[in-house]
Amino acid sequence: MSEALIEIRDLCKIYNPGEVEVRALDHVSLTINRGELVAIIGQSGSGKSTLMNQLGCLDVPTSGDYFLSGQNVAKLSDNELSDIRNREIGFIFQGFNLIPNLTAVENVEVPLIYRGIGKRERRQLAVASLEKVGDHKPSQMSGGQQQRVAIARAIAAAPPLILADEPTGNLDSASSKEILQILKQMHASGRTVILITHDNEI
């Protein structure tokens, strides 16, 4: 049996507690094993983004526990959460979140700088993860090309967990299929991939 990478127990996220409460997550429990490909599907307002923020250590729960690689990250400080995000998680967002005046390689290098990886190794990792992407500035790229750069940035340092939040939301159907194929390849190579979407077809 696979080892659990993620274990959420009785997780709640309540906005405006004690006032007009919004229970974005209401006693959620979930286990995701290493190497799984999981889709979290739901309509707008169903709590997908809130759950993604918890899984990605971008926010802390109101109550409950979240174990990532055996560590309860629900109780960590902002600095400790930042360190976990840097080591454990690669993010792919709908809006690409690329820096416009940097090249593709330079964009991929940004999180590697924060990981303390030296200049030569950074460049090698960035180039290796950008095999199929031209080294242009994001303003000169199509949406599909920008998303491929964003994926390369997410996987360059080989984090065990990839979180993809609506990664095809801004793309045409051909680019969407290409991005989903890349995510499947990442899963096939042993990474744990969590895909968040409102689209049942995806």
Side-chain angles (χ1 to χ4, degrees), residues 86-129:
N86 202 16
R87 284 192 333 249
E88 301 277 335
I89 305 167
F91 292 95
I92 304 165
F93 296 102
Q94 177 177 350
F96 318 133
N97 291 1
L98 301 178
I99 301 169
N101 60 339
L102 298 182
T103 65
V105 169
E106 290 165 343
N107 265 283
V108 173
E109 286 181 316
V110 169
L112 302 175
I113 293 168
Y114 291 115
R115 289 177 197 231
I117 295 172
K119 191 172 184 179
R120 180 176 291 174
E121 187 183 354
R122 265 200 325 261
R123 183 54 53 110
Q124 289 171 344
L125 288 169
V127 169
S129 66

Side-chain angles (χ1 to χ4, degrees), residues 33 59-60 78 85 100 119 126 175 184 197:
N33 290 324
D59 196 6
V60 292
D78 285 347
R85 283 194 303 271
K119 191 172 184 179
S175 294
K184 286 179 186 174
T197 182

